[in-house]
Amino acid sequence: AQDAPTKTNPEKMEKQERMERRGGMGGMRGGRGMHDRGGFGSMLRGIHHLDLTDAQKSQIRTLMETHRTVNKPLMDEMRTLMVKRRDGSFTDADKARIEEIHAGMKESGDQLRATVLGLLTPEQNAKLEQMKAERKERMELRKQRYIERREQKKEWKLKEGEKPVEPVVKQP
């Protein structure tokens, strides 16, 4: 096979190296599924827009790798328990263990998030909060448009003479 031409752009090289570490793209989201995005994921969404210094990037990368390494055995155990759940051999002890793992990982993630946010400058924190507020506003607009479209559909069905379908509410 031929060697791929070398790229001189450091950002492209870094991206390519990350993809190679992850095992290539392998489909959407790098073949890792929707919930395991790697990197910052939803924990610190938008942090790459904050113009981090090289020192900040290095510190955050180290923290993330340490976090991932420490939590890998727990994630593996969680996957094993989820397989048991799908197979039907799930016990109450397994359920309690999943809850315990989940709580520990949440606490670990909260600590990581606090540490990373502590590395940011006040300006970066302000920008992150502004981005969070803008994202919340966009979500509210999306929700409102969804409600309006749903109401509009009901009106169209009523005009066509169809009986409106009430949503089914599941009782716990």
Side-chain angles (χ1 to χ4, degrees):
Q2 294 179 344
D3 291 336
T6 58
K7 296 182 178 168
T8 56
N9 186 340
E11 290 179 34
K12 286 185 180 180
M13 288 178 68
E14 184 179 317
K15 184 176 180 181
Q16 183 178 0
E17 288 170 2
R18 280 195 315 261
M19 285 175 42
E20 289 170 0
R21 278 193 307 257
R22 294 177 186 159
M25 286 306 285
M28 277 182 55
R29 305 232 190 269
R32 294 184 313 270
M34 194 165 217
H35 300 289
D36 183 19
R37 295 184 181 145
F40 295 112
S42 62
M43 181 185 78
L44 291 168
R45 183 176 291 138
I47 198 166
H48 57 276
H49 294 294
L50 298 179
D51 301 323
L52 299 172
T53 65
D54 290 338
Q56 286 174 316
K57 289 178 187 177
S58 175
Q59 288 174 313
I60 291 171
R61 189 173 296 119
T62 302
L63 287 169
M64 295 296 291
E65 288 171 2
T66 303
H67 177 77
R68 192 175 299 118
T69 303
V70 167
N71 285 312
K72 185 171 181 357
L74 295 174
M75 285 303 296
D76 292 342
E77 184 180 355
M78 181 82 87
R79 281 189 194 95
T80 304
L81 292 170
M82 295 311 255
V83 167
K84 284 179 73 173
R85 180 190 237 173
R86 280 191 297 270
D87 293 344
S89 59
F90 196 65
T91 64
D92 288 338
D94 293 335
K95 182 178 181 179
R97 180 63 183 145
I98 282 182
E99 290 171 0
E100 186 180 310
I101 292 171
H102 188 263
M105 290 180 64
K106 181 176 181 348
E107 183 179 324
S108 173
D110 290 345
Q111 289 174 351
L112 173 66
R113 186 175 202 285
T115 305
V116 170
L117 291 175
L119 296 174
L120 301 179
T121 65
E123 294 82 19
Q124 290 169 330
N125 272 317
K127 186 174 180 182
L128 191 62
E129 288 301 316
Q130 177 188 356
M131 291 185 326
K132 191 193 278 187
E134 290 169 357
R135 186 171 57 249
K136 186 175 182 178
E137 186 178 318
R138 285 192 307 270
M139 288 301 292
E140 287 297 321
L141 286 172
R142 234 180 259 145
K143 182 179 177 182
Q144 188 61 38
R145 284 194 305 258
Y146 170 77
I147 291 170
E148 289 170 3
R149 283 193 305 267
R150 191 173 60 190
E151 292 298 320
Q152 196 175 36
K153 253 186 188 179
K154 283 182 185 177
E155 290 175 17
W156 290 339
K157 286 184 178 185
L158 286 175
K159 285 181 184 177
E160 294 172 0
E162 293 182 26
K163 184 178 175 184
V165 178
E166 293 298 320
V168 177
V169 179
K170 294 183 180 180
Q171 296 296 326

